[in-house]
């Protein structure tokens, strides 16, 4: 399992992430979030500060998430392994 976290304070809606990973979508505030219905997404939790999505699989093998994190200009995306 792995986690994708988006710092909503840092996100400024550039949407470079959407072009790299189809699980990223725009939310109703014009910021990035993760589509809870996308394949492999177990759950998505959102607060004012952060979006945290839990996904099936291996962070290192998930090239799309890694590319999205690298493409984010303010560095708002983090990807890390978590225990199931
Ligand atoms: S690329 Fe970064 S700043 Fe742009 S929408 Fe995605 S998370 Fe937000």
């Amino acid at each position: 399992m792995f986690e994708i976290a988006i710092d909503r304070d840092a996100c400024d809606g550039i949407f470079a992430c959407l072009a790299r990973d189809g699980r990223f979508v725009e939310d109703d505030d014009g910021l990035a979030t993760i589509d809870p219905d996308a394949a492999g997404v177990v759950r998505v939790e959102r607060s004012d500060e952060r979006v945290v999505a839990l996904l099936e699989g291996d962070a290192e093998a998930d090239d799309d998430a890694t590319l999205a994190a690298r493409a984010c200009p303010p560095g708002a995306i983090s990807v890390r392994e978590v225990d199931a």
Side-chain angles (χ1 to χ4, degrees):
M1 305 281 268
F2 68 104
E3 183 184 277
I4 299 174
I6 304 168
D7 179 342
R8 299 184 82 239
D9 288 333
C11 175
D12 56 9
I14 300 163
F15 298 129
C17 52
L18 273 65
R20 270 76 175 185
D21 186 333
R23 297 167 296 196
F24 284 75
V25 292
E26 182 177 357
D27 72 10
D28 47 7
D29 291 330
L31 302 175
T33 189
I34 302 294
D35 179 355
D37 297 322
V41 177
V42 177
R43 68 169 178 268
V44 179
E45 295 172 348
R46 182 175 128 184
S47 66
D48 287 345
E49 295 83 23
R50 287 179 7 123
V51 171
V52 180
L54 182 67
L55 296 95
E56 296 170 350
D58 179 347
E60 289 187 9
D62 198 287
D63 293 337
D64 287 354
T66 302
L67 286 172
R70 285 191 190 141
C72 177
I77 302 168
S78 59
V79 181
R80 68 180 183 104
E81 287 292 327
V82 294
D83 292 333

